[in-house]
Amino acid sequence: MDLVPALEEPLRQPLKSVLGPATAKVMAEHLGLLTVGDLLHHYPRRYEERGQLTHLADLPMDEHVTVVAQVADARLHTFASAKAPRGKGQRLEVTITDGSGRLQLVFFGAGVHKPHKELLPGTRAMFAGKVSVFNRRLQLAHPAYELLRGDPEESVETWAGALIPIYPATAKLESWKIGKAIQTVLPTAQEAADPLPDTLREGRGLVPLPEALLKIHRPHTKADIEDARSRLKWDEAFVLQVALARRRHADAQLPAVPRKPAPEGLLTAFDARLPFTLTDGQQRVSREIFDDLATDHPMHRLLQGEVGSGKTMVALRAMLAVVDAGGQAAMLAPTEVLAQQHHRSVVEMMGELAEGGMLGGAEQATKVVLLTGSMGAAARRHALLDLTTGEAGIVIGTHALIEDKVQFHDLGLVVVDEQHRFGVEQRDALRGKGKQPPHLLVMTATPIPRTVAMTVFGDLETSVLDQLPAGRSPIASHVVPAADKPHFLSRAWERVREEVENGHQAYVVCPRIGDEEDDPKKSGKKKSPEGEAEKRPPLAVLDVADQLAKGPLQGLRVEVLHGRMHPDDKDAVMRRFAAGETHVLVATTVIEVGVNVPNATAMVIMDADRFGVSQLHQLRGRVGRGSAPGLCLLVTEMPEASPARQRLGAVASTLDGFELSRIDLEQRREGDVLGQAQSGARTSLKVLAVIEDEEIIAEAREEATAVVAQDPELTRLPALRTALDALLDEEREQYLEKG
């Protein structure tokens, strides 16, 4: 019988458990820790010194926290209640302090006896619980606690200076219990297989993995923690980069049909029709794409560009080049509204070149078809037939393109718009539709800092469009503090009226539709309640549209647009707005990407604090698309000092999406950035911070590329192979869960 390697041993098993079965169950269900190795890689979030107290003023609201503090006083109160009508109810109030701030702990009923005996003034302990506000004071109700008692052998100095690891914990399992479980399995760290090649580790002066694990969980000094973190950051960066380098390497081995545009074909005819010249950036990026398309390996390119930098034009020219070369091109959009919008604008830009097979179509023309889930059966059958016969050179559609029924005559290029909405597996499903792997162009208008691009899209080459085409106007952005200064909001509606009087149009964006049942659980309650604004549900499209039409925007033509409308109704609303028949469109974020109405110059975003930084930047990009300057007003009820207001201030202060995405990432950390695009192993990053550790990521990419070039199967590096399988295995699990 094979012995299970020590680190792969399950924490919970029928015959013998490494930990108590109850602890192992909580670890599996709440922290995703299944094996001894998982537990050893559950690193402390921070460290407290026994002699130092946690700074209580910085505690986050509504989050599970662990603090080290000293009991200042403890009082037992009796009170009458329904359960104890004779005044026999008991409440223990304990005040703990860090020397400057104070925090109230509350225990009720039978739960008061033990803390009443143990939490005497002067006692130091670790306390864990959820921070809430009661009577305008911070409190922890029924916290778990662990007394900090000195070992009789220890001197006061060593005791006070000892570093206590504080682990990411849950209400069901406190940090110190996780710490004890880790101490139980820590001896097996000696058997940890080191994924870093020796030459790399020695060359960079990194400690071996067993030593790093010991030092991160049981540090004697702050230097120990530093050594451990430097080493573990390299593990994360390197293993991730090896995964991406292997994907790049495998893709480079695949054959693809080179697609070179015919000299006097469709592309030449299209360029001749353009009423403007392409920007230098568009020409540069187009050259990079055409060079890739001409090779016999599939192109894998990420095209990043600011909102309105002309990415669609670059993508369309690439699609025309492929059609010219006898292939077909497919563009995948995340929503029906966007697919219809792209289809409409492509057909308009191409004119008679999009009328292949029709009377009046140009000689080089092709057919451009739309394919979405809500199309009628007849229209859908027609579209599918045009794809199978090759009659349609270009197809634009939603997820419906990925379905098994969809067959292409000769798929040569796949363009994916707004990549962060599509997982790697969807990209692959569409690529599988070609007789040979088609070329791939991925577009995103969410500017991604270089390192994030390297970590998330490391399997793609990157092109950046960073200049706006001529004729785009500047956008002025302002925060409107509706609670502090209500007259600012009145002025906002006056500005909208002024824009309409000058012949322009406006958007009003709300976080919610408003036809859902008002379930208090779903009413938009977020973490960190920052004042009253958080307590009410987010503003809704249907309510706001109604109030505006009867109030400040009376007399203007106001329409609504949201995701639950019938696709034909959505399309009709967008057509009326684009034609200038509607003055004000009140919408959800369905207008976030791709909607192009050059005459719309103003946007008012209600409850702007409920949106992320990149989302606000995307939304704002819908105005100022014509010759008149744009105006974006961010309405919020958040108090001036709140983080939400600082975030809105940042959005108002710059139009540089790359700068904003850095701010966004520094505030949110990279969990969801990696999570969305990488379907990634529960943000596979634990110690690596994408922005701070830029250098490590770039160096790890070089090292990984060199290792994979020499040994693509990693036969000489079995420990690295194992680490890689663990990372990808988790990704596979994620795919299944999503499926």
Side-chain angles (χ1 to χ4, degrees):
M1 173 182 144
D2 290 346
L3 282 172
V4 179
L7 269 66
E8 288 171 35
E9 186 131 352
L11 295 172
R12 178 165 57 142
Q13 49 195 340
L15 298 172
K16 65 177 192 60
S17 287
V18 176
L19 306 172
T23 308
K25 184 170 189 252
V26 173
M27 284 191 172
E29 288 174 6
H30 294 271
L31 297 167
L33 307 175
L34 306 174
T35 65
V36 170
D38 291 345
L39 185 52
L40 286 175
H41 288 290
H42 187 70
Y43 308 133
R45 179 177 280 159
R46 58 189 168 83
Y47 300 84
E48 295 282 13
E49 277 183 57
R50 275 199 184 121
Q52 289 188 338
L53 302 170
T54 309
H55 198 49
L56 296 177
D58 297 339
L59 293 181
M61 289 297 303
D62 264 358
E63 275 186 35
H64 199 81
V65 299
T66 303
V67 299
V68 173
Q70 184 163 345
V71 176
D73 70 42
R75 295 178 189 189
L76 192 59
H77 302 274
T78 53
F79 60 90
S81 72
K83 285 185 183 166
R86 297 202 187 129
K88 296 232 172 108
Q90 289 193 310
R91 182 174 78 246
L92 175 67
E93 288 179 5
V94 178
T95 306
I96 57 172
T97 176
D98 60 0
S100 58
R102 292 180 160 235
L103 179 65
Q104 185 102 32
L105 314 179
V106 192
F107 300 88
F108 291 101
V112 304
H113 305 307
K114 186 166 177 268
H116 191 216
K117 283 207 292 269
E118 294 182 334
L119 298 178
L120 305 171
T123 310
R124 288 189 172 205
M126 284 193 279
F127 301 93
K130 210 176 206 184
V131 184
S132 56
V133 171
F134 182 71
N135 279 346
R136 313 200 78 159
R137 290 163 69 188
L138 290 183
Q139 76 163 26
L140 291 181
H142 274 291
Y145 63 88
E146 175 88 336
L147 302 178
L148 295 175
R149 299 189 173 96
D151 183 331
E153 307 296 302
E154 272 180 309
S155 72
V156 174
E157 286 73 29
T158 14
W159 182 84
L163 294 161
I164 305 171
I166 305 292
Y167 290 93
T170 77
K172 297 248 183 333
L173 197 63
E174 294 85 26
S175 166
W176 54 86
K177 288 186 183 161
I178 295 171
K180 283 178 182 162
I182 287 173
Q183 295 302 338
T184 311
V185 300
L186 203 50
T188 52
Q190 294 303 342
E191 297 173 47
D194 201 324
L196 294 190
D198 294 346
T199 48
L200 187 161
R201 190 172 55 70
E202 287 154 13
R204 297 190 177 271
L206 300 168
V207 300
L209 181 57
E211 187 182 328
L213 291 171
L214 285 170
K215 284 183 166 174
I216 198 127
H217 291 299
R218 198 185 273 166
H220 294 298
T221 61
K222 295 196 170 136
D224 282 353
I225 300 171
E226 225 20 71
D227 283 352
R229 287 178 67 82
S230 314
R231 160 61 217 241
L232 295 168
K233 281 181 177 191
W234 256 95
D235 277 21
E236 289 185 359
F238 182 69
V239 174
L240 188 62
Q241 291 299 352
V242 166
L244 294 167
R246 289 189 70 208
R247 195 177 161 97
R248 277 197 306 278
H249 184 270
D251 283 340
Q253 310 309 308
L254 295 172
V257 180
R259 308 280 178 175
K260 292 182 182 161
E264 290 301 314
L266 187 56
L267 182 62
T268 313
F270 175 76
D271 284 348
R273 279 180 56 93
L274 285 180
F276 52 81
T277 50
L278 298 172
T279 65
D280 295 346
Q282 284 174 314
Q283 292 180 4
R284 184 193 74 246
V285 171
S286 286
R287 275 196 301 276
E288 291 172 353
I289 291 171
F290 291 152
D291 289 348
D292 281 358
L293 289 173
T295 65
D296 50 13
H297 294 299
M299 163 173 85
H300 286 102
R301 193 164 280 282
L302 173 67
L303 172 56
Q304 288 204 66
E306 279 287 11
V307 175
S309 56
K311 294 183 299 299
T312 313
M313 174 58 72
V314 168
L316 177 55
R317 292 184 72 241
M319 297 198 311
L320 296 173
V322 168
V323 174
D324 248 354
Q328 290 169 294
M331 182 186 247
L332 185 60
T335 65
E336 294 209 349
V337 168
L338 189 52
Q340 286 163 342
Q341 180 93 23
H342 275 320
H343 180 254
R344 208 162 28 238
S345 58
V346 163
V347 169
E348 273 166 24
M349 285 194 279
M350 287 175 64
E352 74 260 20
L353 296 174
E355 294 170 3
M358 298 184 222
L359 279 173
E363 187 191 338
Q364 307 94 328
T366 186
K367 215 179 213 184
V368 181
V369 302
L370 175 70
L371 188 66
T372 65
S374 67
M375 280 168 75
R380 191 182 172 80
R381 237 189 345 267
H382 212 85
L384 290 172
L385 188 66
D386 284 344
L387 290 182
T388 316
T389 58
E391 185 91 2
I394 293 176
V395 58
I396 295 167
T398 54
H399 286 77
L401 282 176
I402 300 175
E403 289 172 12
D404 294 344
K405 291 197 280 289
V406 181
Q407 299 293 326
F408 288 85
H409 176 65
D410 179 14
L411 180 60
L413 169 68
V414 172
V415 179
V416 180
D417 192 18
E418 282 311 310
Q419 158 62 26
H420 65 279
R421 309 285 182 88
F422 293 104
V424 171
E425 66 270 39
Q426 289 158 316
R427 237 158 71 180
D428 288 349
L430 191 51
R431 279 166 47 191
K433 301 259 180 210
K435 293 191 176 74
Q436 280 194 319
H439 299 281
L440 174 71
L441 179 65
V442 166
M443 300 197 293
T444 177
T446 309
I448 307 171
R450 190 178 72 96
T451 41
V452 180
M454 275 178 10
T455 320
V456 179
F457 301 109
D459 57 332
L460 305 175
E461 298 299 320
T462 307
S463 297
V464 178
L465 275 177
D466 44 15
Q467 56 187 137
L468 292 182
R472 289 301 300 255
S473 305
I475 305 169
S477 305
H478 304 284
V479 177
V480 177
D484 314 350
K485 300 179 177 163
H487 60 285
F488 275 37
L489 184 58
S490 313
R491 176 71 190 119
W493 301 127
E494 284 170 22
R495 283 291 288 111
V496 169
R497 283 189 99 82
E498 287 162 18
E499 290 298 313
V500 173
E501 278 158 18
N502 291 332
H504 298 302
Q505 293 156 278
Y507 297 100
V508 177
V509 181
C510 305
R512 206 163 57 99
I513 297 174
D515 60 357
E516 54 282 282
E517 306 233 330
D518 278 333
D519 173 354
K521 286 198 188 92
K522 292 183 186 157
S523 65
K525 268 208 128 173
K526 286 190 357 187
K527 302 274 190 233
S528 68
E530 293 171 356
E532 285 304 307
E534 283 292 353
K535 293 207 177 76
R536 64 163 171 73
L539 291 171
V541 167
L542 301 176
D543 306 339
V544 169
D546 192 44
Q547 288 159 13
L548 292 176
K550 291 175 182 163
L553 302 184
Q554 200 171 7
L556 302 186
R557 285 192 296 283
V558 177
E559 286 214 62
V560 300
L561 180 71
H562 58 75
R564 279 213 286 274
M565 288 165 64
H566 187 278
D568 294 348
D569 296 342
K570 276 191 240 180
D571 202 38
V573 168
M574 274 317 300
R575 279 174 193 274
R576 285 195 291 275
F577 190 63
E581 293 165 25
T582 306
H583 296 136
V584 179
L585 186 62
V586 183
T588 56
T589 53
V590 288
I591 60 153
E592 177 188 352
V593 273
V595 172
N596 182 26
V597 180
N599 191 45
T601 52
M603 175 177 284
V604 182
I605 303 179
M606 307 303 290
D607 279 344
D609 46 273
R610 310 273 179 145
F611 299 99
V613 169
S614 58
Q615 216 176 9
L616 291 169
H617 183 59
Q618 284 270 25
L619 286 165
R620 167 171 65 184
R622 301 299 119 218
V623 295
R625 297 177 81 89
S627 51
L631 171 70
C632 178
L633 302 175
L634 306 166
V635 180
T636 177
E637 293 185 6
M638 286 294 151
E640 199 164 350
S642 62
R645 271 287 279 282
Q646 288 162 3
R647 207 168 61 229
L648 295 179
V651 174
S653 67
T654 176
L655 288 171
D656 180 341
F658 285 92
E659 178 53 34
L660 280 176
S661 64
R662 280 189 84 95
I663 295 169
D664 192 20
L665 202 62
E666 278 161 5
Q667 286 193 348
R668 281 188 315 166
R669 292 281 309 206
E670 46 282 328
D672 36 356
V673 176
L674 280 177
Q676 283 173 340
Q678 179 97 15
S679 70
R682 278 202 291 286
T683 173
S684 46
L685 304 189
K686 294 176 179 134
V687 282
L688 192 70
V690 171
I691 294 283
E692 287 163 36
D693 299 320
E694 222 156 332
E695 279 175 31
I696 295 180
I697 290 168
E699 289 169 17
R701 182 179 168 125
E702 279 174 33
E703 295 271 13
T705 307
V707 164
V708 170
Q710 281 178 352
D711 181 8
E713 291 305 310
L714 309 177
T715 37
R716 296 193 291 281
L717 297 165
L720 173 57
R721 180 85 229 201
T722 307
L724 196 62
D725 288 345
L727 175 76
L728 299 176
D729 197 43
E730 229 168 318
E731 284 197 348
R732 274 203 297 276
E733 273 174 29
Q734 295 274 321
Y735 288 167
L736 294 173
E737 281 168 24
K738 281 186 176 172

